[in-house]
Amino acid sequence: MQLRLGEPPLTQAECALVYCFAPSGENATFSLPAEIASLDEKVWSGLVAEAAQEQKFQGKPNSSLALRLPGPIRKLVLVGLGDPAALTLEALRRATANGLRQAHSLKAKQVVLSLPDTGLDQVRAVQAVAEASLLVAHQDNRFKSPPKPEEERGFSVEEVTLLVPGLAQARQDYENALQRATEMAAGTILARELVAAPANVVTPPALADTARQLAQDYGLEVEILGREECKALGMGAFLGVAQASDLPPQFIHLTYKPKEGDPVTKLALVGKGLTFDSGGLNIKTDSRSIAMMKTDMGGAAAVLGAARALAALKPRVEVHFIVAATENMISGRALHPGDILTASNGKTIEVNNTDAEGRLTLADALVFAEKLGVDAIVDLATLTGACVIALGEEIAGLFTPDEKLAQELQQAANLSGEKIWRLPLEESYFEGLSSTVADMKNTGPRSGGSITAALFLKQFVEKTPWAHLDIAGPVWAEKDSGYTNKGATGYGVRTLVEWVLAREMAAASS
Ligand code: BES
Ligand code: MN
Ligand code: ZN
């Protein structure tokens, strides 16, 4: 999709998308935005006002009205923003996506969006509208045969022009917002496509190739460790998970460094990279659960998507992207339940459940990240079904002992619209992981399962500020909603990028 900025007024367009606020106050009635009201009066003989009344369109959130009209605008979409005082960036994204879905139904190719005075930071608003436009338009047909002539496929809207009042006075700020949105969306789409691809396509070597390609395209440093190199580093936990697979484990380490000047801070992003999780000998017995387990590299996908975006946006921050990629399979070489593994920090783990494999791979990845001497580590992982039970499919669980990091990530998520909710790292629950024979077991009781998983990870970070996001719910969507389409969501990329950019700002100004 082509995205560009323009100046009002809205005069002519194949399709116009107009944002409408709901009337505020008890007895206030809905009225069309001025630009549309005057066109309606002059050329449409009040048809739009009539349709709005008939359809009871009143500018409420998640409402829209799509009309076919005689020129100069032949397709008109009104979308509701609700109460102006309650407007958020995320509501603006959702309204934009809903409106563009309507434009798609009208088979519009070129759409002009007319940004109102949102009362929000207008530069942020432009970024949000652009993100929503790019993300709602993404459709993934890589694995379908080419469409037949009579078949329509793909999103109809090819070109979006965003009209911004006062564009000329702050052109550079708005162009930067558009660039941030473009790179964040591209990173999110990379993540979506990695997650959506099946386990016979996105294998550990394929993930490593993606990392190598990013390195080549953007001038990042890349290091891929194979089984022997991981063994030399003592990564017994990661290699234990990998041992039954016919595919080689790949420990991926990408590094972005600013080209000029010293980095203002050093950060590490770690992603769980199980390209398929069969459960191992504690095999997943539910056919629907096991068939979803190509998504078990959603953390890795988010980290690689963030790498793409950050490498393009070039902040003055050094960022390490780390993924211990493998499958969790069964064979004569599989881990036996009860096996004891030694992680690279020397801690021993009794594997009482081979399906709690993500934490084993992350253990060695976190130890590796901390050795780099970074100022903070954030990991993302489709770690537990328990987190989906607790928070549902749209919200990630945030676990961290660090108040400042918690606030920073909440703030980044407020900007991105990706929902996170902090859950407690209740230390007393670590008792649930006590082992008779090793330093710890890898699973505890069923209750509080996402907390014990996070406490397990905590054993592998000594002193670096660290946060863990359990993204098992939001990695996948069961239906189209707002700018998220059914399937892989690319969850996490935009929050990670916002967080890194905010760290850059904070460090530069202190
Ligand atoms: N990859 C799964 C978690 C998961 C569940 C991700 C649902 C996405 C959707 C993880 O490896 C797993 O199997 N966790 C177990 C842990 C249990 C054995 C303690 C779980 O959640 O059931
Ligand atoms: Mn598992
Ligand atoms: Zn898993």
Side-chain angles (χ1 to χ4, degrees), residues 68-125:
R68 205 67 169 79
L69 294 163
I73 294 167
R74 302 184 64 80
K75 299 170 186 180
L76 178 67
V77 179
L78 304 181
V79 287
L81 290 178
D83 177 0
L87 185 66
T88 61
L89 289 172
E90 185 60 3
L92 187 59
R93 279 190 200 92
R94 294 185 68 92
T96 303
N98 291 343
L100 287 174
R101 286 186 198 279
Q102 292 279 20
H104 166 75
S105 315
L106 292 171
K107 310 260 188 285
K109 284 201 167 70
Q110 293 160 327
V111 181
V112 175
L113 310 191
S114 167
L115 191 75
D117 181 2
T118 58
L120 303 163
D121 177 336
Q122 285 292 88
V123 174
R124 284 276 173 198

Side-chain angles (χ1 to χ4, degrees), residues 148-489:
K148 299 185 184 67
E150 71 277 12
E151 200 183 340
E152 289 202 37
R153 193 183 278 171
F155 201 69
S156 81
V157 181
E158 290 165 2
E159 202 185 291
V160 166
T161 306
L162 180 52
L163 303 185
V164 186
L167 175 64
Q169 289 87 293
R171 179 115 211 171
Q172 197 52 51
D173 291 344
Y174 289 120
E175 292 289 355
N176 292 346
L178 207 61
Q179 198 211 353
R180 275 197 302 277
T182 303
E183 301 305 344
M184 287 193 198
T188 303
I189 287 168
L190 171 62
R192 284 183 182 179
E193 295 196 344
L194 286 169
V195 171
N200 63 339
V201 172
V202 171
T203 57
L207 270 186
D209 284 343
T210 302
R212 285 193 196 93
Q213 190 66 51
L214 287 174
Q216 205 180 61
D217 294 350
Y218 294 98
L220 306 177
E221 290 170 26
V222 63
E223 181 188 28
I224 313 277
L225 311 178
R227 202 185 299 268
E228 289 309 315
E229 292 148 302
C230 292
K231 200 187 238 169
L233 291 174
M235 296 184 176
F238 171 45
L239 291 179
V241 174
Q243 74 193 28
S245 173
D246 285 339
L247 300 172
Q250 305 272 276
F251 191 96
I252 301 166
H253 176 204
L254 264 178
T255 311
Y256 163 76
K257 287 180 182 161
K259 291 273 174 311
E260 279 154 43
D262 287 335
V264 293
T265 180
K266 285 170 71 172
L267 305 170
L269 304 177
V270 178
K272 173 175 170 180
L274 265 289
T275 61
F276 187 71
D277 175 14
S278 73
L281 284 173
N282 294 104
I283 196 160
K284 293 188 184 290
T285 50
D286 175 65
S287 61
R288 272 194 318 189
S289 306
I290 198 168
M292 277 302 295
M293 285 305 135
K294 67 171 185 182
T295 68
D296 213 14
M297 32 58 71
V303 161
L304 292 176
R308 189 192 191 287
L310 288 166
L313 293 171
K314 302 186 171 59
R316 270 190 64 189
V317 179
E318 181 173 314
V319 192
H320 296 267
F321 307 92
I322 296 159
V323 175
T326 181
E327 302 181 305
N328 183 23
M329 299 296 280
I330 50 173
S331 80
R333 279 178 283 124
L335 278 176
H336 318 87
D339 282 0
I340 297 172
L341 301 174
T342 306
S344 43
N345 64 348
K347 293 198 179 173
T348 60
I349 305 155
E350 178 189 1
V351 181
N352 63 338
N353 191 322
T354 61
D355 198 10
E357 83 300 333
R359 60 197 79 180
L360 297 172
T361 64
L362 287 164
D364 284 324
L366 290 169
V367 171
F368 184 95
E370 185 160 40
K371 280 193 204 146
L372 298 169
V374 293
D375 301 317
I377 304 172
V378 175
D379 81 69
L380 280 86
T382 48
L383 204 63
T384 65
C387 198
V388 189
I389 301 298
L391 299 177
E393 293 190 339
E394 287 179 20
I395 308 174
L398 166 66
F399 298 85
T400 177
D402 191 291
E403 294 302 321
K404 182 168 157 274
L405 196 48
Q407 274 181 22
E408 289 171 6
L409 289 167
Q410 301 263 21
Q411 181 57 31
N414 283 344
L415 290 174
S416 74
E418 294 177 322
K419 297 180 188 117
I420 64 178
W421 193 263
R422 191 170 179 191
L423 293 169
L425 268 171
E426 175 60 39
E427 287 290 342
S428 64
Y429 290 4
F430 188 63
E431 208 179 276
L433 297 179
S434 63
S435 165
T436 326
V437 288
D439 294 340
M440 66 195 97
K441 295 188 294 193
N442 72 330
T443 66
R446 233 168 83 83
S447 50
S450 49
I451 299 178
T452 43
L455 286 169
F456 180 93
L457 298 181
K458 189 167 175 279
Q459 309 311 306
F460 300 90
V461 184
E462 256 175 32
K463 51 174 203 287
T464 309
W466 156 78
H468 158 61
L469 284 165
D470 193 330
I471 62 166
V475 71
W476 190 262
E478 287 303 330
K479 54 175 172 42
D480 289 351
S481 164
Y483 53 89
T484 303
N485 297 327
K486 182 173 158 72
T489 56

